[in-house]
Amino acid sequence: MTATRTVPRPGALRRAVPTAALALVATLLTGCSDDRGDGDADAAAATTSGSAPTGDATTPAEPAPSGSTDSPTGTADDPPVRSSVSLPALMRERLTGGPIARVRRQAVTDAYTRWEVTYPSGEVTVSGVLLVPNGRGPFPGIVLNHGYIEPSVYVTGQGLAREQDRLARAGFVVLHTDYRGHAASDPATPLSRETRLGYTRDAINAVQSLKRSPVVDRTRVAMLGRSMGGAVTYNALVAKPGLVQAAVVYAPVSSRFLDNLERWTIPERPEAAQALYDRFGTPRANPRFYRELSARTYFDRITEPLLIHHGTSDDSCPIAWSRTTQDLLRQDGVRSRLVVYEGEEHAFVPRWEDSIRTTVAFLRRQLA
């Protein structure tokens, strides 16, 4: 089904914001244009030619994360870096991962062993869980990027338990990353958390770490993300083409950064939105900054096949977001498929069995 490009109106969610935040939203979001589907010709020109959109405010520079840029990795085809807090800057970072340390054996089943682990993400240590199938290997590998769970209550390996078990039983080595700021990981800075760039670095480093493992076939590695983890997955695909051989997302958030900012950050964490505005300008004053945090701006860089699962009754992440994402992916020549589940909600319960069978078949086909 061909999706119609639609952008949620900023006012749709303002009723949930306290009175002070209402004024903030009305003042800062009116008139902003970030989506290619908004008819933003400047965005398209900046993506294809590298020229700056007319009237775009200059984003203040910020040092790159320590330990993550050993040497430049960009090419002449990469978009220009105007802010170190951007996907173009991430494209040039050398993210190499490191050895996976097995901290504690959690469980032994008839099909796999599950370990609590840590791995390096630059100078940050990230925790997670590793599931290794029984047998000699090497096995195909997959990194799992979980959805949003309040970090203060999150416990290691939380959020994708069903997928961990099924994929390990299907013969995949599974590395579920907790992300920085979660469980036993090192803390996350507010900026790396709100932009999701820190989480994206952790997911990319998880793949690189998994490829170092002797039980993994480094030529057969995939990524799977759910909800917020869908955005992390999209970011990883555009930042590092060729990192994995295939990707799957479940009930993903929008591939447009401002959709997610308006849906969650402004009503639930208005102080975090204000911190972004104070440092980088509002979406109206500096649209380029927010556009360069949107994976869809760079969909033409994706080289891997992508499978998207989404339910029509999802009241957390509207299916319209995935329809628009799919439309844009196809326009940019990405091998993508959107599977729509009538009546399925965000949690994916009634149709989850169907979806995971489709996922396993897709991954086996792409990683053969």
Side-chain angles (χ1 to χ4, degrees), residues 216-358:
V216 174
D217 180 348
R218 60 178 294 114
T219 68
R220 296 191 295 154
V221 179
M223 183 176 280
L224 182 150
R226 170 172 169 76
S227 194
M228 179 193 74
V232 172
T233 301
Y234 291 152
N235 286 350
L237 294 178
V238 301
K240 302 294 178 183
L243 175 73
V244 294
Q245 283 65 60
V248 180
V249 293
Y250 273 82
V253 298
S254 180
S255 56
R256 177 180 183 259
F257 181 80
L258 280 180
D259 286 342
N260 304 318
L261 187 78
E262 295 162 15
R263 172 69 176 85
W264 289 289
T265 310
I266 290 171
E268 297 177 7
R269 299 185 303 281
E271 70 288 349
Q274 185 63 59
L276 283 177
Y277 303 151
D278 289 344
R279 182 165 184 176
F280 300 105
T282 67
R284 183 176 185 177
N286 190 7
R288 185 176 64 197
F289 172 75
Y290 299 91
R291 187 164 55 244
E292 291 181 349
L293 291 174
S294 299
R296 67 173 56 175
T297 306
Y298 310 104
F299 275 169
D300 60 346
R301 293 172 52 86
I302 297 179
T303 57
E304 298 73 36
L306 172 63
L307 176 63
I308 305 170
H309 299 287
H310 215 129
T312 60
S313 297
D314 191 330
D315 61 0
S316 181
C317 298
I319 192 172
W321 286 351
S322 282
R323 293 192 191 278
T324 301
T325 291
Q326 169 68 355
D327 182 39
L328 296 173
L329 287 165
R330 296 300 292 271
Q331 289 183 37
D332 279 331
V334 179
R335 293 169 291 163
S336 59
R337 179 188 175 198
L338 170 61
V339 182
V340 175
Y341 298 83
E342 292 295 332
E344 185 60 84
E345 299 179 355
H346 190 65
F348 258 83
V349 176
R351 302 292 302 281
W352 183 81
E353 186 63 37
D354 295 337
S355 74
I356 196 64
R357 283 200 298 264
T358 300

Side-chain angles (χ1 to χ4, degrees), residues 19-33:
T19 302
L22 280 172
L24 173 71
V25 176
T27 301
L28 300 179
L29 287 181
T30 302
C32 71
S33 178

Side-chain angles (χ1 to χ4, degrees), residues 89-124:
L90 183 60
M91 294 169 193
R92 288 165 169 79
E93 293 182 22
R94 174 170 291 177
L95 305 176
T96 60
I100 299 173
R102 300 184 182 187
V103 177
R104 182 177 73 87
R105 187 168 61 187
Q106 273 194 341
V108 178
T109 75
D110 60 314
Y112 59 83
T113 302
R114 174 185 168 106
W115 302 81
E116 289 184 11
V117 299
T118 61
Y119 67 92
S121 183
E123 292 186 351
V124 175

